[in-house]
Amino acid sequence: MSQRATRLLHLLEALGGRRRPVAGARLAEDLGVSLRTLYRDIATLREQGADILGDPGVGYLLRPGFLLPPLNFSEDELEALALGARWVTRQPDRALAQAAERAMTRIGATLPASTRLSIETSGLLVPTPSQTPPDAPWLPTLRLGIRLEHVLRMHYADGQGQATQRLIWPFAMAFMEGLGMLAAWCELRRDFRHFRADRVIALADTGERYPSRRHVLIKRWRAATGYGLDS
């Protein structure tokens, strides 16, 4: 681990768990760095996504939800992350693909130059899909619906091309080459249903939370169908 990466990790640890802002001078003293170095490190962490509140003379507070995972990763773990990110960039969800690219850029920024070069040129490649996945601009809505446990209004075409409007409780999405599959509770059928991604015409978030929890639906779904998609 580089000296700079170690210093950033120590700064995160110093900020973590605090409920009130801590003065920059105090942080610099605790970490054994100059105030100028501290300000530069805080700016670096902010660029990498750390939600650090505060300014010089006011104090600093790290809002929950930010970790800097690559600092303690082995090269095997970093290669696995890079390979997974490359696979995500080949999926039709452009927002998710761009998030994967940003995540790997942030991870790379914390690594020593030699390690970063090794990961970027590892030779572990993701094959190009045999067919171009259909455009699916509704995927971010689906992912948010799954995350927030929201009821979605779906415009869907069956195998004969007949379109229907449905209210669904989405809880899982499987990404497979050439075909994605959505698992949800369908209010129309009053049962679990699987929907092919290439037959979804549109999705809209109703903003309403469905009357169950996602993990409960997944448990019921597995018991009812025998499926065991990794979650």
Side-chain angles (χ1 to χ4, degrees), residues 5-154:
T6 301
R7 195 175 68 240
L8 292 176
L9 176 59
H10 288 166
L11 176 54
L12 281 175
E13 291 174 343
L15 287 169
R18 295 180 181 268
R19 297 185 178 182
R20 296 183 179 180
V22 56
R26 172 67 182 277
L27 283 171
E29 180 181 355
D30 290 348
L31 296 171
V33 299
S34 68
L35 198 56
R36 181 178 180 181
T37 296
L38 176 79
Y39 292 154
R40 185 169 62 245
D41 288 348
I42 286 176
T44 297
L45 289 175
R46 282 172 168 169
E47 289 173 357
Q48 294 174 1
D51 194 356
I52 300 176
L53 306 177
D55 292 293
V58 177
Y60 297 94
L61 180 68
L62 176 66
R63 297 184 63 182
F66 180 83
L67 298 174
L68 204 58
L71 293 175
N72 290 322
F73 283 172
S74 68
E75 287 201 19
D76 282 347
E77 291 167 336
L78 288 168
E79 285 184 345
L81 287 173
L83 189 63
R86 289 167 189 156
W87 181 86
V88 171
T89 62
R90 301 296 181 92
Q91 303 310 305
D93 188 337
R94 288 310 306 159
L96 195 62
Q98 291 166 3
E101 292 171 352
R102 291 195 302 270
M104 290 310 301
T105 297
R106 288 178 179 173
I107 290 174
T110 69
L111 299 174
S114 58
T115 303
R116 182 169 62 251
L117 179 62
S118 176
I119 299 304
E120 291 175 348
T121 60
S122 67
L124 301 179
L125 305 177
V126 175
T128 301
S130 57
Q131 57 185 14
T132 302
D135 187 34
W138 46 264
L139 276 173
T141 300
L142 171 60
R143 286 191 290 105
L144 188 61
I146 292 174
R147 185 185 309 158
L148 299 180
E149 301 176 347
H150 278 187
V151 178
L152 301 183
R153 180 173 287 104
M154 180 175 65

